[in-house]
Amino acid sequence: MYRLNIYIGSGAVLFALVGLFLWVPQDTGTGLVVQVRRQVTIGDAFAPTIAFSLMAIGGALLLIEQRQHTSIKVPLAPFLHTAALVAVIAFGLLLMRHAGPGLLFVAEGFGGTDTEYRLLRETFPWKYIGYFLGGVTMIGGMASLSAGRLQARTALIAVAVTMGLIALVDVPFDDLLLPPNGDY
């Protein structure tokens, strides 16, 4: 285990140094900070520099950390919780992407409409269906996993937060398409 940490730490530090001193300067158009007309903004190189710096610090900490040479048992519960979180997010994103077109397909089966989703994606209620269902699923699902149980209060909070996001992001702007409607 100790030798593996040395390999991982050395690899992380080496990769971070190559990224910091070769990749970032060659691949970004601006530096860390850009000043244009007395206005200072973050440059293209800022985010990758922060990421590579954190990687170098993590690798260095792994190298200097003193580990005992005993075997460590890793519990399975954190991996299962992480897998459940990933599953909730993936399901929420799938629902966000396909709920609107799926509901339109069902409505076409009942003779409700005779048009394609692309033409309806900017109209009420179609513009909100996928965003609302996906948002409620992700917020409610992640909160329920963290609490260890599903509660009505959690579902109400998920609905309120999603509606609040819709009110903040979509309502003030006439030409904005909520995700994923811009993809159609």
Side-chain angles (χ1 to χ4, degrees):
M1 183 74 170
Y2 183 71
R3 182 171 278 167
L4 181 62
N5 286 342
I6 290 174
Y7 294 145
I8 293 172
S10 300
V13 169
L14 181 65
F15 183 69
L17 291 174
V18 168
L20 280 170
F21 295 110
L22 294 177
W23 188 356
V24 172
Q26 297 292 326
D27 196 38
T28 55
T30 63
L32 295 174
V33 178
V34 177
Q35 185 174 359
V36 178
R37 295 184 185 146
R38 291 182 280 168
Q39 195 171 39
V40 178
T41 59
I42 294 174
D44 295 339
F46 189 78
T49 300
I50 296 294
F52 283 129
S53 298
L54 290 174
M55 183 184 293
I57 291 169
L61 288 174
L62 195 57
L63 284 173
I64 62 174
E65 183 179 341
Q66 296 297 321
R67 294 244 180 198
Q68 297 177 353
H69 294 291
T70 58
S71 64
I72 299 171
K73 292 186 180 181
V74 179
L76 188 60
F79 294 112
L80 294 176
H81 188 264
T82 302
L85 282 174
V86 169
V88 165
I89 292 169
F91 179 68
L93 290 174
L94 282 171
L95 195 59
M96 189 179 280
R97 174 85 170 133
H98 299 290
L103 195 59
L104 180 65
F105 181 75
V106 170
E108 286 175 352
F110 288 105
T113 184
D114 190 23
T115 188
E116 62 184 73
Y117 184 75
R118 183 180 175 118
L119 300 175
L120 297 174
R121 69 184 176 165
E122 295 182 38
T123 62
F124 181 82
W126 302 104
K127 71 188 289 184
Y128 300 118
I129 290 171
Y131 190 84
F132 179 78
L133 292 176
V136 168
T137 300
M138 285 189 279
I139 294 168
M142 288 188 291
S144 296
L145 279 173
S146 295
R149 60 185 169 177
L150 178 63
Q151 297 176 321
R153 186 179 98 191
T154 305
L156 290 174
I157 290 171
V159 167
V161 168
T162 305
M163 289 177 69
L165 286 171
I166 289 171
L168 285 173
V169 174
D170 183 61
V171 173
F173 306 104
D174 292 333
D175 57 347
L176 182 75
L177 289 176
L178 289 172
N181 290 331
D183 295 339
Y184 290 97

